[in-house]
Amino acid sequence: MLKLFYTPNTCALASHIILEDVGAAYETVRIDFRREEQRKPEYLAVNPKGRVPALVTERGVLTETPAILVFLAQLFPAARLAPIDDPFAFAEMQSFNSYLCSTVHVAHAHRMRGYRWADDPAALQAMQRKVPQSVGDAFALIEQGILRGPWVMGEAYTICDPYLFTLAQWLEADGVDLARLPRVLAHRERMAARDAVKRAVAMELDPKT
Amino acid sequence: MLKLFYTPNTCALASHIILEDVGAAYETVRIDFRREEQRKPEYLAVNPKGRVPALVTERGVLTETPAILVFLAQLFPAARLAPIDDPFAFAEMQSFNSYLCSTVHVAHAHRMRGYRWADDPAALQAMQRKVPQSVGDAFALIEQGILRGPWVMGEAYTICDPYLFTLAQWLEADGVDLARLPRVLAHRERMAARDAVKRAVAMELDPKT
């Protein structure tokens, strides 16, 4: 059975939603960042990166959200969540997810995890000050160009949608001017109304899971 | 015909090498960062992100290295550069490329492009000071775990290899302690000996191209 290691309020939510979307049999393991469980030997044996998500499969552990999302789309082809047989359409989808992981999520990470890139406390504060702009600009590019509507890739719901939804959870805390992003916010509301999203969010909020 | 927009000494080299590996018919357009051509309207019409690489195809423009690499592997299946029909093996490959774009390349970018995440000159200097450690740690994880040898994924040369080679070009300038990375350096030498790599590197060094 698939097993997802996750932490609430992280990008692991995207994989969690897709597991619900495809109707997979899976279990979850919560990693508590406040207790630094992600840096303990037990978890580093699962994922030496000390990050979430990690998906345990019968053939081994997978990490990195864009890889996990495509894997689940391939494992459950009936859900039709990625156009793998159309190289150009698949590449557009991959391009979007790659932008989320390497630009959007990275801009956001400078608010809470600036210590990855500098040690000086004043530098960490300087990074935090720029997050509203850098995250806002990254989302503006999605708002004005990439997001086709109603879903990211257009009429078809794909693995891009829960990933965008997940990162869009952080817009308010990142101090982004929401007035710039009406289409992103409409997408977020559209996602929040889906049953699979409600189930994944509820599980992550439940302290017993 | 495929057209690659690139700048020498950037991650565009990975896509350039794969174009040579597969024997594609393609042309190149050099974008000069010193003249800030990446921010001019002509190029923003191609890639609104103002980054390289961008690959123009008959169906539209693709950006983001992990997406372009898989696209080329799918377009030229005879080259067998990605195990697309094996979801787990494909996900392992995607996971590696995702780690390169979201962690390794991002750590490196804090040396020259810290202005993306902070405005204060002292903060930019603080970021630069940490690059030898953050890039070194990211490569150490590859050295000690992910890189199987002789190629990233083991016996089969894949799209992961030119991407790792490309980012490994910057180790010296990033101030990384090379003694930590003997296997990464051996991989870099193995790559440098390949004809496709030599051709792509030579083209990018030639000021006429």
Side-chain angles (χ1 to χ4, degrees), chain A residues 48-49 51 57 59-68 70-71 74-75 84-92 94-96 98-99 101-103 106-107 110 114-120 122-124 126-131 133-134 141 146, chain B residues 48-49 51 57 59-68 70-71 74-75 84-92 94-96 98-99 101-103 106-107 110 114-120 122-124 126-131 133-134 141 146:
Chain A
K49 295 171 186 168
R51 305 267 180 99
T57 79
R59 284 177 62 187
V61 178
L62 294 174
T63 60
E64 306 291 339
T65 296
I68 291 171
V70 169
F71 174 75
Q74 285 195 286
L75 209 59
I84 294 163
D85 296 331
D86 179 338
F88 184 79
F90 185 57
E92 285 190 309
Q94 294 244 90
S95 175
F96 182 78
S98 196
Y99 181 66
C101 80
S102 65
T103 299
V106 166
H110 284 75
Y115 55 80
R116 291 176 181 164
W117 305 292
D119 296 317
D120 177 15
L124 303 190
M127 292 180 194
Q128 291 177 335
R129 281 195 297 275
K130 193 152 187 173
V131 165
Q133 179 192 334
S134 59
L141 198 119
I146 310 174
Chain B
K49 295 172 184 166
R51 306 266 181 99
T57 80
R59 284 178 61 188
V61 178
L62 293 174
T63 60
E64 306 291 339
T65 295
I68 291 171
V70 169
F71 174 76
Q74 284 195 287
L75 209 60
I84 294 163
D85 296 331
D86 178 339
F88 184 79
F90 185 58
E92 285 190 309
Q94 293 246 90
S95 174
F96 182 78
S98 196
Y99 182 66
C101 78
S102 65
T103 298
V106 167
H110 284 75
Y115 56 79
R116 291 176 182 165
W117 305 290
D119 297 316
D120 176 18
L124 303 189
M127 292 180 193
Q128 290 178 334
R129 282 197 297 275
K130 192 151 186 172
V131 164
Q133 178 192 333
S134 59
L141 198 121
I146 310 173

Side-chain angles (χ1 to χ4, degrees), chain B residues 16-36:
Chain B
H16 203 164
I17 292 170
I18 290 293
L19 285 163
E20 285 291 325
D21 271 319
V22 298
Y26 71 99
E27 53 190 45
T28 57
V29 181
R30 185 187 296 233
I31 299 299
D32 191 335
F33 279 6
R34 286 164 304 183
R35 297 182 192 168
E36 299 224 323

Side-chain angles (χ1 to χ4, degrees), chain B residues 167-184:
Chain B
L167 302 198
Q169 301 300 298
W170 307 328
L171 286 168
E172 284 86 347
D174 282 347
V176 172
D177 177 8
L178 299 183
R180 299 174 72 182
L181 305 172
R183 299 177 65 242
V184 168

Side-chain angles (χ1 to χ4, degrees), chain A:
Chain A
M1 189 188 292
L2 296 167
K3 184 192 293 187
L4 179 71
F5 287 82
Y6 79 100
T7 302
N9 204 26
T10 69
C11 65
L13 178 62
S15 298
H16 202 164
I17 292 169
I18 290 293
L19 284 164
E20 285 291 326
D21 271 320
V22 299
Y26 72 99
E27 53 190 44
T28 57
V29 181
R30 186 187 294 234
I31 299 298
D32 191 336
F33 279 7
R34 287 164 303 184
R35 296 182 193 168
E36 301 223 322
E37 287 178 353
Q38 78 275 24
R39 296 200 177 88
K40 291 184 177 166
E42 295 81 358
Y43 187 65
L44 292 175
V46 175
N47 180 8
K49 295 171 186 168
R51 305 267 180 99
V52 292
L55 184 72
V56 182
T57 79
E58 60 186 13
R59 284 177 62 187
V61 178
L62 294 174
T63 60
E64 306 291 339
T65 296
I68 291 171
L69 295 179
V70 169
F71 174 75
L72 291 174
Q74 285 195 286
L75 209 59
F76 297 91
R80 303 179 65 82
L81 292 175
I84 294 163
D85 296 331
D86 179 338
F88 184 79
F90 185 57
E92 285 190 309
M93 200 207 66
Q94 294 244 90
S95 175
F96 182 78
N97 286 351
S98 196
Y99 181 66
L100 291 188
C101 80
S102 65
T103 299
V104 182
H105 193 161
V106 166
H108 159 78
H110 284 75
R111 179 163 62 84
M112 301 281 284
R113 315 209 187 278
Y115 55 80
R116 291 176 181 164
W117 305 292
D119 296 317
D120 177 15
L124 303 190
Q125 290 169 5
M127 292 180 194
Q128 291 177 335
R129 281 195 297 275
K130 193 152 187 173
V131 165
Q133 179 192 334
S134 59
V135 173
D137 289 350
F139 269 98
L141 198 119
I142 295 170
E143 171 81 19
Q144 294 158 19
I146 310 174
L147 173 58
R148 292 173 183 161
W151 305 114
V152 172
M153 288 289 119
E155 293 301 319
Y157 175 91
T158 69
I159 54 175
C160 296
D161 294 295
Y163 199 8
L164 175 61
F165 171 77
T166 296
L167 302 199
Q169 301 299 299
W170 306 329
L171 286 168
E172 284 87 348
D174 282 348
V176 172
D177 177 7
L178 299 183
R180 300 174 72 181
L181 305 173
R183 300 177 66 243
V184 168
L185 295 182
H187 177 271
R188 193 171 73 172
E189 285 182 23
R190 209 170 288 128
M191 284 295 297
R194 289 173 67 92
D195 287 342
V197 175
K198 289 179 187 171
R199 287 195 300 271
V201 170
M203 283 177 67
E204 297 205 354
L205 291 178
D206 181 350
K208 296 191 298 295
T209 61

